[in-house]
Amino acid sequence: DNDEASALAPRVLFENAHVVIINKYPNTSFHSEFEPGVVATLRASRALEGIDGDVFGVHRLDKQTSGILILAKSKDAASALSKAFEERKIVKYYVGVSAKKPKKKMGTVEGDMARSRNKAWMLTRATTKASTVTKFVSFGAQGANGAPRRMFVFKPLTGKTHQLRVAAKSLGAALLGDDIYSSGGAAFEFEAPRRLYLHAAAIRIPSLYDGFDAIQVICDPSDDGDEWDANAFRAHFPPSLANEFGEWFSDSPLLRSVLVVDDS
């Protein structure tokens, strides 16, 4: 379908026999709604390029969120990836930007999510098996025209709708461009942001079965929105980190991760 092919095809960050990993643009749906979704657009652009085979979704990003999205190229890869997500073997890092300082600079945001009003969710004080868990650190950064900003690195251990946006809101530092959780937002000298400043920045996938080797991808958001601080991002996620299959963030207990080695 030409409409689908002409929609902005997502940028492929990594591809092998098992997966295609793309950079999803902000404000694009996973599924086709009123316009072609990310999966349909990718399928159409691959068909145009004469690439055989289908792609299958194994996780998703909210419409407003940009960044790393994994699509499987076979049913086997899809089920192995889905299971690895469920078992929390896949490590994900997100970055976000706020105009406000959070109540605490780093820590863990934990709690059940409940519907509040309209499309919003809220964090409750209850913690159950269904609770969301988000580890985070934050630091000073520069936004558009040098404006003082707060940059977050989030390491979610669960994957619920709006989880990170609600976590930032609960810290008193709703993310820039968040039309649901930022009350009126910060005062902008120029214009309000055209996007939500939340981006899936890095992923670590362990070896899942014989022939499916570990994969690590970093995706820099800096060229898509002038509130990102490129230097701050690269200080935490230098491109070389993608080739480091050992421990990440060894000096930061909240962000530290190692790839699970499957001994079976």
Side-chain angles (χ1 to χ4, degrees):
D1 183 312
N2 281 348
D3 280 358
E4 292 181 348
S6 62
L8 205 52
R11 183 159 60 93
V12 174
L13 301 168
F14 175 89
E15 179 168 4
N16 66 9
H18 310 284
V19 297
V20 187
I21 299 179
I22 60 170
N23 178 11
K24 177 181 123 27
Y25 294 110
N27 306 316
T28 53
S29 294
F30 182 82
H31 291 297
S32 299
E33 291 172 348
F34 305 107
E35 54 196 4
V38 172
V39 180
T41 307
L42 184 68
R43 281 176 178 149
S45 75
R46 288 169 76 79
L48 267 183
E49 289 169 37
I51 302 170
D52 288 338
D54 202 356
V55 289
F56 308 92
V58 290
H59 70 130
R60 62 185 58 190
L61 294 176
D62 291 344
K63 180 173 183 173
Q64 288 84 359
T65 307
S66 60
I68 294 173
L69 188 68
I70 307 166
L71 296 158
K73 289 169 75 171
S74 68
K75 293 275 167 67
D76 285 351
S79 65
L81 284 160
S82 298
K83 186 165 174 267
F85 271 114
E86 258 168 61
E87 294 172 354
R88 299 187 189 178
K89 287 180 178 169
I90 294 175
V91 184
K92 294 180 289 181
Y93 294 96
Y94 290 72
V95 287
V97 179
S98 179
K100 297 177 177 168
K101 266 195 174 154
K103 290 174 198 165
K104 51 182 184 177
K105 275 168 86 165
M106 58 179 65
T108 303
V109 177
E110 196 167 354
D112 287 3
M113 303 247 300
R115 280 274 185 200
S116 63
R117 54 190 168 69
N118 302 339
K119 296 176 181 171
W121 292 81
M122 59 188 230
L123 209 58
T124 68
R125 290 181 187 274
T127 50
T128 63
K129 272 187 180 163
S131 287
T132 62
V133 183
T134 305
K135 302 200 175 279
F136 77 95
V137 302
S138 72
F139 43 90
Q142 282 203 332
N145 304 292
R149 297 291 183 240
R150 200 83 195 165
M151 196 156 174
F152 287 90
V153 177
F154 297 108
K155 184 185 165 213
L157 303 188
T158 49
K160 300 275 169 67
T161 301
H162 292 190
Q163 176 176 329
L164 302 180
R165 296 163 68 178
V166 171
K169 165 82 170 171
S170 76
L171 292 163
L175 299 175
L176 284 181
D178 195 329
D179 53 353
I180 295 179
Y181 298 102
S182 64
S183 44
F188 288 94
E189 291 169 57
F190 304 95
E191 55 179 320
R194 283 196 292 272
R195 63 157 298 170
L196 168 68
Y197 278 82
L198 179 62
H199 178 81
I203 201 149
R204 309 188 74 187
I205 308 169
S207 170
L208 296 182
Y209 50 81
D210 197 24
F212 189 121
D213 296 334
I215 298 166
Q216 300 187 144
V217 175
I218 290 172
C219 179
D220 188 334
S222 309
D223 57 357
D224 193 356
D226 52 8
E227 293 286 358
W228 295 114
D229 183 329
N231 293 330
F233 180 84
R234 284 168 205 144
H236 284 76
F237 295 98
S240 58
L241 189 61
N243 302 319
E244 178 51 68
F245 285 87
E247 188 175 59
W248 282 19
F249 298 109
S250 51
D251 55 351
S252 172
L254 288 160
L255 300 182
R256 182 180 299 142
S257 69
V258 287
L259 281 177
V260 181
V261 178
D262 191 359
D263 297 323
S264 59

